[in-house]
Amino acid sequence: MRIEKLDESTKKNLLEDLLKRSPNSYGKYEESVQQILADVKEKRDAAVFEYTKKFDGVEINASNLEVTEAEINEAYQEVGEELLGIIRRALKNIESYHAKQMQYSWFDSRPDGTILGQKVTALQRVGVYVPGGKAAYPSSVLMNILPAKVAGVDEIIMVTPPGKDGKVTPTTLVAAKEAGADKIYKAGGAQAIGALAYGTESIPKVDKIVGPGNIYVALAKKAVYGHVSIDSIAGPSEILVLADESANPRYVAADLLSQAEHDEMASAILVTTSMELAEKVSAQTDEFIRELSRGEIIQRSLDNYGHILVAETLEDAIDAANEIASEHLEIVTANPFEVMTKIRNAGAIFIGEYSSEPLGDYFAGPNHVLPTNGTAKFFSPLSVDDFIKKSSIISYSRDALEKIHTDIERFAEAEHLTAHANSIRVRFEETR
């Protein structure tokens, strides 16, 4: 991995480099995505079937679009008891963590007859997109469905592309069943996002779409925002390790590569105060790459977006971490909890040398759907909050309104909204 001194110039160049990975930089695909969405909106099921044949090489129709109970039962047989047990243990941790995020309606009443409050309501129907193809991501299934389930969403619709055999990956199906998906459809890509956003004869329109996908999925979600809500526009994965001389270079190198293996657009960054650690980590990554099955992808990722930055002080390192605002931030320093209090921007923060990033991906409980490309400066991880909406409650008695009605009337008149003022005034005509 390349080693550089951290200064304003290297930080600026790094931030510009990382922004190139944003889905907002892939405008050349938008026209194709818009055409797919327009076709789905017009032709509905027919377009979904057409694009599934074109992109996935599978004949899907109204009779085999929805996954059946028989297919789910077959998936359980293929997954086996050991992996099923692991999925269930992870599910329990994720569910327990998200249960603590629950919000409830509240009301505040006063003696004068004023009642103010907030009504919390779960969304009625949510669509979950799960990537398919060669890879299987049962962890993403759990992370996207469980907070919706905990929130109390009435109906959870999952879409995922079928394999060449017309089936859905067994681990994906089992995870979906365990988490509580109500219906699962064999559809992927921008066409599946369109189906969820607009509705077809077979796939119902949803209120919100969540879940990761390729650039076509990301751009489709961006395009349908407004017809439905979405979670975020996810970019490539990223990790930043903030370390001092106390860190174990073997652990740090392993953690950096855990994200670099996702794809060649993934970013792995070490910011450290120790040149000795930097050199050891760089050497260790070379060793690991020779051993790991996805070594070629890792090497391309590191060549493109891998950096080791050596800072003069820990404060400089912390400032850089806050500026980069990484999806995953590991703190491996002598006093990691003290450093954590100075972190303002990060999707998920992993504290100490035994809290490596894959712990959050699979098992600990917090959600692994996180803001990328610096958006941790203003976005949060997926949570129960994403599956609820809030309505304000306002109730005034006559006595309560009478005390303030002239204030409201004058405020409305100041804005030249005389009908607003009149709406209040008519209630007290007899007292004038």
Side-chain angles (χ1 to χ4, degrees), residues 115-138:
I115 299 175
L116 301 177
Q118 183 172 270
K119 183 175 183 291
V120 176
T121 309
L123 301 184
Q124 187 173 349
R125 183 185 291 134
V126 165
V128 174
Y129 186 92
V130 176
K134 296 176 182 177
Y137 299 103

Side-chain angles (χ1 to χ4, degrees), residues 193-404:
I193 299 300
L196 292 172
Y198 308 128
T200 72
E201 294 91 341
S202 301
I203 300 175
K205 182 187 186 305
V206 301
D207 301 313
K208 184 165 188 170
I209 301 171
V210 301
N214 62 18
I215 188 65
Y216 292 95
V217 170
L219 290 175
K221 286 171 69 178
K222 180 182 176 184
V224 301
Y225 178 65
H227 293 281
V228 293
S229 181
I230 61 170
D231 52 351
S232 64
I233 310 294
S237 189
E238 54 199 33
I239 185 171
L240 188 149
V241 178
L242 183 58
D244 61 16
E245 67 283 350
S246 69
N248 182 319
R250 188 169 171 83
Y251 294 174
V252 172
D255 294 355
L256 291 170
L257 302 192
S258 72
Q259 292 310 288
E261 77 168 339
H262 273 293
D263 60 61
E264 59 191 40
M265 299 289 285
S267 168
I269 300 170
L270 167 62
V271 183
T272 180
T273 51
S274 168
M275 179 60 79
E276 181 183 356
L277 178 73
E279 291 169 348
K280 287 181 178 178
V281 168
S282 181
Q284 185 64 66
T285 58
D286 292 339
E287 282 187 40
F288 278 138
I289 288 170
R290 288 192 288 270
E291 302 169 5
L292 296 168
S293 62
R294 294 171 67 86
E296 288 185 21
I297 293 173
I298 292 171
Q299 189 61 63
R300 286 198 295 272
S301 169
L302 296 183
D303 290 344
N304 292 333
Y305 301 106
H307 298 269
I308 297 177
L309 304 176
V310 181
E312 287 289 334
T313 67
L314 186 57
E315 289 302 319
D316 289 341
I318 292 169
D319 287 345
N322 278 325
E323 194 65 30
I324 294 166
S326 186
E327 176 188 18
H328 307 100
L329 171 65
E330 290 188 7
I331 302 174
V332 195
T333 60
N335 298 296
F337 283 93
E338 181 182 341
V339 172
M340 180 270 293
T341 64
K342 300 175 183 178
I343 295 299
R344 190 180 189 93
N345 304 318
I349 303 171
F350 300 77
I351 299 174
E353 66 179 6
Y354 292 103
S355 305
S356 64
E357 190 279 337
L359 176 65
D361 268 356
Y362 297 113
F363 215 78
N367 210 287
H368 78 198
V369 180
L370 303 166
T372 58
N373 283 106
T375 60
K377 290 180 178 179
F378 44 83
F379 282 144
S380 305
L382 191 73
S383 72
V384 168
D385 291 351
D386 287 284
F387 300 99
I388 62 172
K389 57 192 179 71
K390 302 166 187 174
S391 302
S392 303
I393 302 294
I394 301 168
S395 175
Y396 268 56
S397 67
R398 179 183 173 85
D399 287 347
L401 183 61
E402 188 170 18
K403 294 173 185 175
I404 60 168

